[in-house]
Amino acid sequence: MSTSSNIKRPHLPRSAAGDRNPWLMAVVASIATFMELLDSTIANVSLYHISASLSVSYNESIWVLTCYIVANALILPMSGWLASTIGRKRYYMLSIAGFTLGSLLCSIATNIEFLIFARILQGISGGGLAPLEQSMLTDSFPPEKRPQAFALYGITVLVAPALGPFIGGWLTEALSWHWVFLINVPIGIISLILSYYLITEPPLLIEERKQRKKNKTNIDYIGFVLVIIGFGTLQLFLDRYEINDGFSSTFIWIMAITAAVSLSFLVIWEWFHPHPIMDIRLLCYRNFAVSCFIMFLIGFMVYSTTQIIPQMTQELFNYTATIAGVMLGIGGIFVMISMIIMGGITGKIRYPQWLIAFGLLGTAWSTWYMSQMTLDVDFTTFVWARIFQVIWFPILLIPVSTLSYEGLPENKSNEAAAFAALMRNIGGSVGIAMVANILHSRTNMHYSRLSERVTESTDLTVTLENVKTMVFAQARMIGYLDIFYLLAFICLLFIPLAFLFKPQGRMGERSREGNAHGHHF
């Protein structure tokens, strides 16, 4: 194609597009990533149907979500190392194949044990897809073109989790819960075929892999074990905290202590290991370290709001899962529009740090706006509130992704993308766990306070049950509003981080420096 000659240049020896237009590769890579991130939330609204179909309790069916998230958490820290060790394209295609197979097995599961096994296979296989796509985009586009490429990546990262509940609810109600997983199979096969023909393994990466084998690089077995134990127990702690009644549970205490000890030792071990499975030393690069904190916040905001907004509308406003999903889906459309706009202007702005600060301020304002709602708001108000909230996420994601690679050696793109994706996922897990716990505690507190006032002046013409229902609804609503207040405050606290980014240097000079690092390997 005519554009390929303008983009494919000698200073992009790691390009996954080969001689083709890199946008073809970018679109193909986004298919599998979108599918995997969609599955992180698509089964949420199907749990009641799954538990009834497989004759298990609802709490047992929650493991369908938990095991997927934990499996994802285990593979994410190692995905950069795996890509560099067995080959980026090979690992990418193996991930698609494993995820597709896992989806097929989920769709034919006849008992909860088999379904959990298939979800674990899905999680392990799909965990590396998002960081691999980001790594391929980074290596296939010159710095001045990366904002547009990251806009496409941002659509998959932000829109897919939001659309998951809507698509899952529609498939479950129209067909059955089996189709929530079965729909991945044809998409996975198409993605696998397109990846085989349109994604390239660059000669430079092949040479680097051969050099590793020639030098007989020792595998970091201790780091491997610490990653599995540390991030596995951390994810279990976060995901089961509310279900197991917090620190009143021995299981939660064991998970918390094990995670804290394992991850502390992991940081020390990986810092001094010559060939770490998880390169902690990337945090020595200031831009990358700051971007990891903001990626944590992006995951925190995206997943926590995607969790509590549908929950609030279904619980207090009697919306169906499909209607709540439509509300999130409309927001997703505006995310795509915002992504396209930001992808076009980010590269033209000299100081993108101001964009990040503006995005954080806008996110804080939009979240504060939601804290002013009452039990009388209608569907249209919710839709616009969600739109005002999500349009700021691209303003954060694209410049943060662009600045994070400033100064990084090019041969570290796999590890850097994996680290950033890990921080985003941990942020999402922390966000979901935190808002669930706060909602529970604040609802109880407000219910107690409101009950004291109501009992003193209650009208006996109203039944006691009606009074309790109204008081609980008010207490629950105030609990949700407290969460939105807190989220707005957290966004404000992160604004100073935007100005810790180093200004963008001369793109060509940075690119040549990074390329020199890559050849020096």
Side-chain angles (χ1 to χ4, degrees), residues 347-363:
K348 300 175 183 178
I349 295 178
R350 183 174 178 82
Y351 297 105
Q353 297 92 329
W354 286 97
L355 269 181
I356 298 170
F358 184 62
L360 289 169
L361 183 62
T363 305

PDB file of all heavy atoms in Angstrom, residues 347-363:
ATOM      1  N   GLY A 347      -0.462  14.357  19.301  1.00  0.00           N
ATOM      2  CA  GLY A 347       0.883  14.489  18.748  1.00  0.00           C
ATOM      3  C   GLY A 347       1.244  15.910  18.346  1.00  0.00           C
ATOM      4  O   GLY A 347       2.422  16.220  18.144  1.00  0.00           O
ATOM      5  N   LYS A 348       0.246  16.795  18.221  1.00  0.00           N
ATOM      6  CA  LYS A 348       0.500  18.172  17.801  1.00  0.00           C
ATOM      7  C   LYS A 348       0.660  19.117  18.985  1.00  0.00           C
ATOM      8  O   LYS A 348       0.961  20.294  18.802  1.00  0.00           O
ATOM      9  CB  LYS A 348      -0.645  18.655  16.907  1.00  0.00           C
ATOM     10  CG  LYS A 348      -0.820  17.802  15.648  1.00  0.00           C
ATOM     11  CD  LYS A 348      -2.040  18.251  14.847  1.00  0.00           C
ATOM     12  CE  LYS A 348      -2.248  17.357  13.633  1.00  0.00           C
ATOM     13  NZ  LYS A 348      -3.457  17.743  12.859  1.00  0.00           N
ATOM     14  N   ILE A 349       0.425  18.611  20.189  1.00  0.00           N
ATOM     15  CA  ILE A 349       0.509  19.454  21.386  1.00  0.00           C
ATOM     16  C   ILE A 349       1.902  19.328  21.991  1.00  0.00           C
ATOM     17  O   ILE A 349       2.385  18.227  22.248  1.00  0.00           O
ATOM     18  CB  ILE A 349      -0.574  19.054  22.404  1.00  0.00           C
ATOM     19  CG1 ILE A 349      -1.957  19.338  21.819  1.00  0.00           C
ATOM     20  CG2 ILE A 349      -0.384  19.789  23.725  1.00  0.00           C
ATOM     21  CD1 ILE A 349      -3.101  18.940  22.713  1.00  0.00           C
ATOM     22  N   ARG A 350       2.539  20.461  22.207  1.00  0.00           N
ATOM     23  CA  ARG A 350       3.937  20.467  22.658  1.00  0.00           C
ATOM     24  C   ARG A 350       4.076  19.946  24.080  1.00  0.00           C
ATOM     25  O   ARG A 350       5.053  19.263  24.411  1.00  0.00           O
ATOM     26  CB  ARG A 350       4.504  21.884  22.547  1.00  0.00           C
ATOM     27  CG  ARG A 350       5.977  21.990  22.915  1.00  0.00           C
ATOM     28  CD  ARG A 350       6.510  23.380  22.655  1.00  0.00           C
ATOM     29  NE  ARG A 350       7.898  23.499  23.050  1.00  0.00           N
ATOM     30  CZ  ARG A 350       8.933  23.118  22.318  1.00  0.00           C
ATOM     31  NH1 ARG A 350       8.715  22.548  21.134  1.00  0.00           N
ATOM     32  NH2 ARG A 350      10.164  23.275  22.750  1.00  0.00           N
ATOM     33  N   TYR A 351       3.123  20.269  24.940  1.00  0.00           N
ATOM     34  CA  TYR A 351       3.205  19.849  26.338  1.00  0.00           C
ATOM     35  C   TYR A 351       1.977  19.012  26.701  1.00  0.00           C
ATOM     36  O   TYR A 351       0.995  19.533  27.261  1.00  0.00           O
ATOM     37  CB  TYR A 351       3.304  21.058  27.267  1.00  0.00           C
ATOM     38  CG  TYR A 351       4.553  21.883  27.043  1.00  0.00           C
ATOM     39  CD1 TYR A 351       4.475  23.118  26.382  1.00  0.00           C
ATOM     40  CD2 TYR A 351       5.792  21.414  27.467  1.00  0.00           C
ATOM     41  CE1 TYR A 351       5.624  23.867  26.167  1.00  0.00           C
ATOM     42  CE2 TYR A 351       6.943  22.160  27.244  1.00  0.00           C
ATOM     43  CZ  TYR A 351       6.854  23.386  26.591  1.00  0.00           C
ATOM     44  OH  TYR A 351       7.994  24.114  26.374  1.00  0.00           O
ATOM     45  N   PRO A 352       1.991  17.714  26.394  1.00  0.00           N
ATOM     46  CA  PRO A 352       0.826  16.855  26.694  1.00  0.00           C
ATOM     47  C   PRO A 352       0.573  16.684  28.187  1.00  0.00           C
ATOM     48  O   PRO A 352      -0.469  16.163  28.581  1.00  0.00           O
ATOM     49  CB  PRO A 352       1.196  15.523  26.031  1.00  0.00           C
ATOM     50  CG  PRO A 352       2.678  15.545  25.868  1.00  0.00           C
ATOM     51  CD  PRO A 352       3.048  16.980  25.692  1.00  0.00           C
ATOM     52  N   GLN A 353       1.545  17.123  29.019  1.00  0.00           N
ATOM     53  CA  GLN A 353       1.317  17.067  30.463  1.00  0.00           C
ATOM     54  C   GLN A 353       0.063  17.845  30.855  1.00  0.00           C
ATOM     55  O   GLN A 353      -0.679  17.455  31.763  1.00  0.00           O
ATOM     56  CB  GLN A 353       2.529  17.645  31.222  1.00  0.00           C
ATOM     57  CG  GLN A 353       3.806  16.860  31.016  1.00  0.00           C
ATOM     58  CD  GLN A 353       4.633  17.381  29.850  1.00  0.00           C
ATOM     59  OE1 GLN A 353       4.088  17.887  28.880  1.00  0.00           O
ATOM     60  NE2 GLN A 353       5.944  17.250  29.945  1.00  0.00           N
ATOM     61  N   TRP A 354      -0.172  18.967  30.141  1.00  0.00           N
ATOM     62  CA  TRP A 354      -1.351  19.770  30.445  1.00  0.00           C
ATOM     63  C   TRP A 354      -2.631  19.041  30.050  1.00  0.00           C
ATOM     64  O   TRP A 354      -3.680  19.210  30.690  1.00  0.00           O
ATOM     65  CB  TRP A 354      -1.266  21.126  29.738  1.00  0.00           C
ATOM     66  CG  TRP A 354      -0.276  22.039  30.383  1.00  0.00           C
ATOM     67  CD1 TRP A 354       1.022  22.268  30.017  1.00  0.00           C
ATOM     68  CD2 TRP A 354      -0.505  22.829  31.555  1.00  0.00           C
ATOM     69  NE1 TRP A 354       1.624  23.166  30.876  1.00  0.00           N
ATOM     70  CE2 TRP A 354       0.706  23.526  31.829  1.00  0.00           C
ATOM     71  CE3 TRP A 354      -1.604  23.029  32.392  1.00  0.00           C
ATOM     72  CZ2 TRP A 354       0.831  24.390  32.906  1.00  0.00           C
ATOM     73  CZ3 TRP A 354      -1.473  23.904  33.472  1.00  0.00           C
ATOM     74  CH2 TRP A 354      -0.268  24.566  33.716  1.00  0.00           C
ATOM     75  N   LEU A 355      -2.546  18.243  29.000  1.00  0.00           N
ATOM     76  CA  LEU A 355      -3.701  17.429  28.609  1.00  0.00           C
ATOM     77  C   LEU A 355      -4.059  16.447  29.721  1.00  0.00           C
ATOM     78  O   LEU A 355      -5.235  16.255  30.045  1.00  0.00           O
ATOM     79  CB  LEU A 355      -3.389  16.643  27.329  1.00  0.00           C
ATOM     80  CG  LEU A 355      -3.735  17.267  25.982  1.00  0.00           C
ATOM     81  CD1 LEU A 355      -3.374  16.299  24.869  1.00  0.00           C
ATOM     82  CD2 LEU A 355      -5.198  17.657  25.911  1.00  0.00           C
ATOM     83  N   ILE A 356      -3.031  15.811  30.294  1.00  0.00           N
ATOM     84  CA  ILE A 356      -3.253  14.836  31.356  1.00  0.00           C
ATOM     85  C   ILE A 356      -3.877  15.511  32.575  1.00  0.00           C
ATOM     86  O   ILE A 356      -4.835  14.992  33.173  1.00  0.00           O
ATOM     87  CB  ILE A 356      -1.932  14.139  31.725  1.00  0.00           C
ATOM     88  CG1 ILE A 356      -1.378  13.379  30.516  1.00  0.00           C
ATOM     89  CG2 ILE A 356      -2.128  13.185  32.902  1.00  0.00           C
ATOM     90  CD1 ILE A 356       0.031  12.859  30.704  1.00  0.00           C
ATOM     91  N   ALA A 357      -3.339  16.673  32.950  1.00  0.00           N
ATOM     92  CA  ALA A 357      -3.897  17.411  34.091  1.00  0.00           C
ATOM     93  C   ALA A 357      -5.349  17.810  33.814  1.00  0.00           C
ATOM     94  O   ALA A 357      -6.216  17.707  34.698  1.00  0.00           O
ATOM     95  CB  ALA A 357      -3.044  18.647  34.373  1.00  0.00           C
ATOM     96  N   PHE A 358      -5.614  18.242  32.585  1.00  0.00           N
ATOM     97  CA  PHE A 358      -6.972  18.628  32.197  1.00  0.00           C
ATOM     98  C   PHE A 358      -7.904  17.420  32.250  1.00  0.00           C
ATOM     99  O   PHE A 358      -9.054  17.515  32.693  1.00  0.00           O
ATOM    100  CB  PHE A 358      -6.940  19.225  30.786  1.00  0.00           C
ATOM    101  CG  PHE A 358      -8.273  19.738  30.308  1.00  0.00           C
ATOM    102  CD1 PHE A 358      -8.921  20.767  30.972  1.00  0.00           C
ATOM    103  CD2 PHE A 358      -8.869  19.190  29.179  1.00  0.00           C
ATOM    104  CE1 PHE A 358     -10.149  21.235  30.526  1.00  0.00           C
ATOM    105  CE2 PHE A 358     -10.098  19.646  28.730  1.00  0.00           C
ATOM    106  CZ  PHE A 358     -10.742  20.677  29.399  1.00  0.00           C
ATOM    107  N   GLY A 359      -7.414  16.257  31.800  1.00  0.00           N
ATOM    108  CA  GLY A 359      -8.208  15.034  31.844  1.00  0.00           C
ATOM    109  C   GLY A 359      -8.538  14.611  33.264  1.00  0.00           C
ATOM    110  O   GLY A 359      -9.657  14.177  33.558  1.00  0.00           O
ATOM    111  N   LEU A 360      -7.560  14.731  34.170  1.00  0.00           N
ATOM    112  CA  LEU A 360      -7.802  14.393  35.572  1.00  0.00           C
ATOM    113  C   LEU A 360      -8.817  15.346  36.203  1.00  0.00           C
ATOM    114  O   LEU A 360      -9.694  14.929  36.965  1.00  0.00           O
ATOM    115  CB  LEU A 360      -6.482  14.435  36.346  1.00  0.00           C
ATOM    116  CG  LEU A 360      -5.491  13.312  36.049  1.00  0.00           C
ATOM    117  CD1 LEU A 360      -4.131  13.621  36.664  1.00  0.00           C
ATOM    118  CD2 LEU A 360      -6.011  11.971  36.581  1.00  0.00           C
ATOM    119  N   LEU A 361      -8.685  16.634  35.877  1.00  0.00           N
ATOM    120  CA  LEU A 361      -9.629  17.620  36.411  1.00  0.00           C
ATOM    121  C   LEU A 361     -11.043  17.362  35.884  1.00  0.00           C
ATOM    122  O   LEU A 361     -12.018  17.421  36.644  1.00  0.00           O
ATOM    123  CB  LEU A 361      -9.169  19.028  36.023  1.00  0.00           C
ATOM    124  CG  LEU A 361     -10.019  20.193  36.564  1.00  0.00           C
ATOM    125  CD1 LEU A 361      -9.991  20.206  38.086  1.00  0.00           C
ATOM    126  CD2 LEU A 361      -9.510  21.519  36.007  1.00  0.00           C
ATOM    127  N   GLY A 362     -11.142  17.051  34.588  1.00  0.00           N
ATOM    128  CA  GLY A 362     -12.450  16.753  34.008  1.00  0.00           C
ATOM    129  C   GLY A 362     -13.073  15.500  34.600  1.00  0.00           C
ATOM    130  O   GLY A 362     -14.283  15.446  34.849  1.00  0.00           O
ATOM    131  N   THR A 363     -12.248  14.473  34.835  1.00  0.00           N
ATOM    132  CA  THR A 363     -12.753  13.243  35.445  1.00  0.00           C
ATOM    133  C   THR A 363     -13.251  13.516  36.859  1.00  0.00           C
ATOM    134  O   THR A 363     -14.294  12.992  37.284  1.00  0.00           O
ATOM    135  CB  THR A 363     -11.658  12.167  35.479  1.00  0.00           C
ATOM    136  OG1 THR A 363     -11.140  11.967  34.160  1.00  0.00           O
ATOM    137  CG2 THR A 363     -12.199  10.852  36.000  1.00  0.00           C
TER     138      THR A 363
END
